[in-house]
Amino acid sequence: MKIICIGRNYAQHAKELGNAIPEKPVIFLKPETSVLKNNAPLFYPDFTHDLHYETELVFKIAKAGKHINRKFAHKYYEEIGIGIDFTARDIQNECKQKSLPWEIAKAFDGSAPVGTFIPKNSITNLKNIAFHLTKNGLIVQKGNSANMIFFIDEIIEYASSFFTLKPGDLIFTGTPEGVGSIQKGDKLEASINDEKLLEVEIK
Ligand code: MG
């Protein structure tokens, strides 16, 4: 199982980190060991002093495919969830400055908590999915799939031109603006359309 993550998929977030709006999806991967399930806590890693949350809609791949045309991409996912793309922003900035890959900043153990998945059929319009994150009870991030630069079907088409997609693979579709840092003791809760689907405590 693999996680395909999209970077800079919301214009306002690209802007807040000083990045250009991409012409193609920006892709990186996280390994299976990055996943946190069942609302497990994250232990703040000792290699960073600036751990950030990035709240993202997550699509679960339902069947295998390669070179999937975007017209048929909807047949490859049945469930949608919410996840956090935890990022060691200080390490990522160092990697970016040196033009090095980001994995040590983004793919470490516990960097990808995912919540309960819901059937896509329970959502009226996939291009209008509202989601948000609270930190210690206050809303810190709000997004809507309407603002994605590349919608999931386009992401599946592009990603599957490089990687075979397999059932159980996850696609993190990028964060909206409002990313921020967390400390030990913080409690994060993520919701789709006001239904809480994920909790993570930072220990
Ligand atoms: Mg992200």
Side-chain angles (χ1 to χ4, degrees):
M1 175 272 185
K2 58 187 170 296
I3 304 177
I4 296 173
C5 300
I6 306 303
R8 305 173 191 169
N9 201 23
Y10 289 79
Q12 292 303 319
H13 169 65
K15 235 188 235 178
E16 77 181 341
L17 294 187
N19 294 312
I21 311 259
E23 285 164 17
K24 291 176 188 166
V26 173
I27 289 187
F28 59 95
L29 301 180
K30 297 194 190 222
E32 194 165 0
T33 43
S34 66
V35 177
L36 283 182
K37 283 185 183 162
N38 305 318
N39 296 326
L42 174 75
F43 291 89
Y44 198 110
D46 56 12
F47 51 77
T48 176
H49 301 289
D50 194 18
L51 187 62
H52 275 203
Y53 53 77
E54 295 188 355
T55 314
E56 312 198 359
L57 291 173
V58 180
F59 288 71
K60 190 190 277 184
I61 295 299
K63 62 174 188 172
K66 179 101 204 257
H67 296 299
I68 300 162
N69 187 292
R70 73 182 69 177
K71 270 194 292 194
F72 305 112
H74 63 96
K75 298 180 177 200
Y76 288 80
Y77 56 90
E78 302 296 339
E79 291 176 287
I80 298 168
I82 196 157
I84 300 176
D85 168 19
F86 278 124
T87 303
R89 193 71 71 201
D90 44 358
I91 308 273
Q92 188 196 27
N93 287 338
E94 252 180 72
C95 294
K96 280 162 79 176
Q97 271 167 21
K98 296 178 185 164
S99 301
L100 293 172
W102 292 342
E103 274 70 14
I104 57 169
K106 277 188 169 281
F108 52 86
D109 287 1
S111 63
V114 285
T116 308
F117 283 83
I118 54 177
K120 74 171 179 194
N121 296 338
S122 69
I123 292 173
T124 327
N125 181 358
L126 294 180
K127 291 192 170 169
N128 183 23
I129 309 173
F131 60 100
H132 73 262
L133 181 78
T134 64
K135 181 171 101 170
N136 306 325
L138 296 174
I139 293 183
V140 288
Q141 226 185 347
K142 266 183 168 177
N144 191 300
S145 60
N147 299 321
M148 286 180 181
I149 298 170
F150 304 103
F151 186 62
I152 183 65
D153 297 45
E154 235 176 309
I155 294 169
I156 286 178
E157 178 180 78
Y158 185 71
S160 73
S161 69
F162 301 97
F163 313 115
T164 299
L165 303 185
K166 294 179 80 176
D169 286 352
L170 300 177
I171 300 186
F172 273 57
T173 53
T175 184
E177 69 278 13
V179 301
S181 57
I182 41 170
Q183 311 297 334
K184 281 183 193 174
D186 285 342
K187 188 174 179 191
L188 303 175
E189 297 180 318
S191 306
I192 291 179
N193 292 331
D194 291 327
E195 183 184 355
K196 188 172 76 177
L197 298 172
L198 172 67
E199 282 180 34
V200 190
E201 250 184 85
I202 315 302
K203 293 200 167 174

